[in-house]
Amino acid sequence: MPHSAMTRPTHPSGGEAAVDSEVGAELRAQLEYNRSETLKLMLHDAPIDDVLLKVVLDVEAVLPGSICSLLLTSPDGERLNYGVGPHLPAFYNAAVDGSAVAVGNGSCGTAAATGKRVVVEDIDTHPYWAAYTALTRRAGLGACWSQPVFGPRRTVVGTFGIYHKTACSPTVRDIVVIEHASDLAALAIDRHRAQEELARYRDHLEQLVAERAATIVCLNRELQKRVEEAQAANRAKGAFLANMSHELRTPLNAVVGLAALLQESASDPVQRQRTERIVTAGRHLLGTIDSILDLSKIDTGKFTLEDSPLRIDGIVQNVVAMVRDRIEAKELALHVDVPQIGYTLTGDPVRLQQALLNYVGNAVKFTAQGAITLRVQVVEDDADDALLRFEVQDTGIGIKPAVLERLFQSFEQADSSISRTYGGSGLGLEITRRFAELMGGSAGAQSREGQGSTFWFTARLRKGTDTVTPGTIDFAATDPATLRALLRRDWAGTRILLAEDEPINAEITRALLEAVDLCVETAVTGREAVDKAILTEPALILMDMQMPELDGTDATRAIRAIPGLDRLPIIAMTANAFAEDRVLCLAAGMDGFLSKPVLPGRLYAEILTRLTAARG
């Protein structure tokens, strides 16, 4: 990814409450002490440079090896001016003084322009730093993470940067500290600018100054109170969502997995039909859970999009494959119009597919006869990116103009009878709109009651340099029966290590693997997984995140440190479904990430992908 607009990560087992536990009481106490001392400086009217210098030095003391700086935005918001950077070379501070606020102009210029944290793990290879390579090499800088500092009305008043001499990624501790520092710097800058404003009026408007000062004190107190309340509410909400996600997905994994196994072995048509209904209901429940979690993560700023190579035709094919049976059952015509795109694109293929599937699923649901058309158009084609428009047109029941405006809000449907007649949670359109906006686009619809509807969304996708090898099998788009056949043909007898401490989940996963002739070895603790990775020499490991003795990420790090096992495919398979959990797993050295409940086809596709890549 070119940069990451990251939020505070959560621990896999307990949301933000567990982050606080992981960060530790010692660090929390140190941050509170530093905050108290900085506030004392402000209360004693210390110069703003002294206050900001203390904030920077405190961070460098808490994060050994870090080199910090504060840049302040110019009054017109177009430039970043030098504020504090005591341990950066003088020539470097002089060079960045007055740099432009613009996307792509280093980490700080981009953070100030976008209002989002920018994490550049390797300055030498990142395009944002291409114009400054000679400067950063001379200064001996390898990584830079920049956090925007917000003033009133969410305007960016500066950036807080953390440099390292070598390329590296931020830890949970790093994120907590940089957020704390930026908040403290914001308070100091806001207070300083408020004092400057008061000074301009002091000579002629003494009474007004006194009233304004009193108002500022009250507003500061109220603002601090609301910030603390909001942070406490977000922590509680994040912890609740993480726990509920885990608690719902763990039993749902057993339901879906056992139903899939029963469906495979059932010979009686009635039993096969009943198990198919269980699987369908489980998938529907999983989709609802995912939608609620996605909306909650977006609202709390914890949602991040992936940036990987994608194929528009492949995404459309996947969506068509998922709804073809329902379309054929209703005897509807399906028309697909996808242009040939002569360049590769990068973005989040999973979210694009989910957004498009929401539209197509609604079209099938509300169309009794006629046709459904799925259309993709290139609206804008720039040098670095392209804006694509996705449309789904149907000949269904249509929508009254009066209700179109509220359709894209959470839990909204055209009228109360819709949920009774057709079912649904009313989350799909809101999810699609949110995804489109996160991808630099928008969403909408045109409809006439009784004459059908056209739902559309746009997404801006970056042009990439990666290519898809011709003839390569897209396992994610392959049907489960073919995946099972490929595993039996090419990988029968292959040893798989399953690290799973929950007996029912272990039993289900073992049965799914043995059904395609894979040889399964199990481990019920993280320490046992490390030992068996050495003794049994598996071709692939399925690793749960929550394990006794060593959790999945620590066990993975231990395995990666063993000579000869640094490239052993390891796939996370966990009920922790947050994006932060995936980041933690990949950062620990895992190759793939599966969130429970894992549908058999998804499990087989991921195993085939990793085994094939390892063989290649």
Side-chain angles (χ1 to χ4, degrees):
M1 296 177 64
H3 72 276
S4 302
M6 300 174 61
T7 57
R8 187 179 181 185
T10 60
H11 190 279
S13 62
E16 291 196 30
V19 168
D20 289 340
S21 176
E22 182 174 340
V23 170
E26 182 179 354
L27 176 59
R28 292 198 303 272
Q30 184 63 50
L31 293 179
E32 287 303 318
Y33 175 80
N34 291 344
R35 179 184 183 87
S36 175
E37 293 299 307
T38 304
L39 291 175
K40 288 180 182 178
L41 284 179
M42 286 188 270
L43 289 175
H44 288 87
D45 292 325
I48 184 65
D49 291 345
D50 292 349
V51 177
L52 298 182
L53 178 62
K54 174 170 174 52
V55 175
V56 166
L57 294 178
D58 285 345
V59 172
E60 291 180 345
V62 171
L63 301 177
S66 64
I67 306 172
C68 303
S69 75
L70 264 167
L71 299 178
L72 306 178
T73 55
S74 59
D76 59 4
E78 300 294 327
R79 298 284 171 183
L80 284 173
N81 298 324
Y82 171 73
V84 179
H87 294 127
L88 285 170
F91 68 83
Y92 184 87
N93 287 330
V96 300
D97 187 21
S99 58
V101 172
V103 174
N105 191 35
S107 300
C108 295
T110 305
T114 62
K116 298 178 181 179
R117 182 186 310 128
V118 174
V119 174
V120 172
E121 300 170 349
D122 189 346
I123 288 175
D124 278 349
T125 61
H126 203 286
Y128 285 177
W129 287 88
Y132 300 97
T133 302
L135 180 68
T136 55
R137 286 177 179 172
R138 181 184 173 195
L141 303 176
C144 180
W145 318 323
S146 183
Q147 176 82 15
V149 178
F150 293 106
R153 297 176 295 279
R154 295 290 293 178
T155 57
V156 177
V157 298
T159 59
F160 191 98
I162 294 182
Y163 294 83
H164 281 270
K165 290 185 175 297
T166 59
C168 56
S169 304
T171 64
V172 172
R173 181 186 182 95
D174 295 327
I175 298 303
V176 169
V177 172
I178 196 173
E179 288 181 345
H180 177 273
S182 64
D183 290 343
L184 198 52
L187 182 61
I189 294 170
D190 288 351
R191 187 173 186 277
H192 173 68
R193 292 186 174 179
Q195 287 177 327
E196 285 185 332
E197 180 182 357
L198 290 173
R200 285 193 294 267
Y201 290 96
R202 184 174 296 125
D203 293 339
H204 304 289
L205 303 169
E206 293 182 0
Q207 183 61 36
L208 178 61
V209 169
E211 293 175 358
R212 181 70 59 87
T215 301
I216 288 175
V217 170
C218 293
L219 288 176
N220 283 342
R221 290 174 180 170
E222 182 65 24
L223 177 61
Q224 183 63 31
K225 178 182 177 182
R226 292 187 180 185
V227 167
E228 291 172 354
E229 291 173 351
Q231 290 174 342
N234 275 338
R235 285 195 296 270
K237 184 176 182 180
F240 175 79
L241 288 173
N243 288 331
M244 287 302 99
S245 174
H246 188 276
E247 293 302 318
L248 289 170
R249 288 173 182 277
T250 298
L252 188 56
N253 185 62
V255 173
V256 174
L258 287 173
L261 291 171
L262 289 173
Q263 188 179 16
E264 284 294 314
S265 60
S267 57
D268 181 67
V270 175
Q271 289 182 344
R272 288 186 62 84
Q273 183 183 46
R274 288 174 177 174
T275 53
E276 171 62 26
R277 288 176 179 175
I278 295 175
V279 173
T280 301
R283 288 174 176 170
H284 176 76
L285 178 57
L286 175 61
T288 302
I289 293 172
D290 285 339
S291 296
I292 294 173
L293 289 175
D294 283 343
L295 281 176
S296 299
K297 286 184 284 187
I298 292 172
D299 287 339
T300 57
K302 297 181 180 297
F303 189 90
T304 56
L305 292 172
E306 291 192 25
D307 187 27
S308 58
L310 57 84
R311 294 171 52 191
I312 298 300
D313 58 342
I315 291 173
V316 172
Q317 289 172 10
N318 288 350
V319 171
V320 171
M322 284 185 265
V323 299
R324 187 179 297 280
D325 291 344
R326 285 186 286 162
I327 290 176
E328 292 176 351
K330 298 182 77 169
E331 298 182 349
L332 300 173
L334 175 64
H335 307 294
V336 178
D337 181 10
V338 180
Q340 292 291 332
I341 299 177
Y343 42 80
T344 60
L345 294 169
T346 65
D348 192 327
V350 174
R351 305 309 177 186
L352 277 174
Q353 180 173 301
Q354 184 178 348
L356 190 58
L357 184 60
N358 286 339
Y359 278 171
V360 177
N362 278 348
V364 176
K365 181 191 298 185
F366 297 116
T367 303
Q369 59 183 2
I372 294 173
T373 300
L374 196 162
R375 185 181 299 110
V376 181
Q377 298 173 314
V378 180
V379 180
E380 297 177 10
D381 190 352
D382 299 327
D384 298 324
D385 53 48
L387 183 68
L388 272 61
R389 178 184 174 98
F390 298 81
E391 292 183 356
V392 177
Q393 183 177 1
D394 64 60
T395 57
I397 61 175
I399 306 169
K400 297 177 180 179
V403 301
L404 268 177
E405 292 183 1
R406 58 185 174 85
L407 268 186
F408 286 87
Q409 300 175 12
S410 298
F411 303 101
E412 285 288 352
Q413 294 181 325
D415 58 61
S416 58
S417 67
I418 289 293
S419 59
R420 293 194 298 269
T421 305
Y422 295 96
S425 62
L427 290 171
L429 296 181
E430 168 71 351
I431 286 286
T432 297
R433 179 182 68 83
R434 295 290 194 97
F435 285 167
E437 291 173 351
L438 287 172
M439 290 184 280
S442 57
Q446 297 89 37
S447 181
R448 296 187 64 181
E449 189 174 9
Q451 299 183 27
S453 307
T454 299
F455 283 82
W456 59 268
F457 72 89
T458 56
R460 189 170 297 279
L461 304 176
R462 192 170 56 84
K463 292 183 178 180
T465 57
D466 296 329
T467 58
V468 178
T469 305
T472 300
I473 298 176
D474 184 359
F475 295 118
T478 307
D479 65 278
T482 302
L483 295 171
R484 289 193 294 270
L486 288 172
L487 280 167
R488 290 193 185 98
R489 186 191 72 186
D490 298 334
W491 301 97
T494 298
R495 183 177 287 104
I496 305 295
L497 175 58
L498 172 63
E500 170 65 73
D501 65 320
E502 209 289 316
I504 295 178
N505 286 334
E507 175 188 349
I508 294 169
T509 306
R510 173 188 280 275
L512 291 172
L513 297 176
E514 291 178 344
V516 290
D517 300 331
L518 296 173
C519 181
V520 183
E521 183 75 28
T522 59
V524 296
T525 71
R527 178 60 61 190
E528 185 181 7
V530 176
D531 295 339
K532 288 192 173 182
I534 301 172
L535 296 174
T536 63
E537 297 182 353
L540 181 144
I541 298 177
L542 294 173
M543 181 74 73
D544 188 17
M545 284 186 71
Q546 296 192 35
M547 297 279 288
E549 297 184 11
L550 284 179
D551 63 27
T553 54
D554 287 338
T556 298
R557 293 187 183 95
I559 292 171
R560 289 292 183 231
I562 299 170
L565 299 184
D566 56 322
R567 296 187 179 181
L568 172 64
I570 302 177
I571 302 171
M573 193 163 70
T574 174
N576 299 329
F578 280 60
E580 295 87 345
D581 301 317
R582 183 178 187 277
V583 171
L584 288 173
C585 289
L586 298 183
M590 298 187 192
D591 303 286
F593 184 88
L594 294 172
S595 59
K596 297 175 184 176
V598 181
L599 300 175
R602 182 71 183 90
L603 174 63
Y604 294 152
E606 186 69 18
I607 291 175
L608 274 168
T609 299
R610 301 304 167 187
L611 289 177
T612 303
R615 173 184 286 176

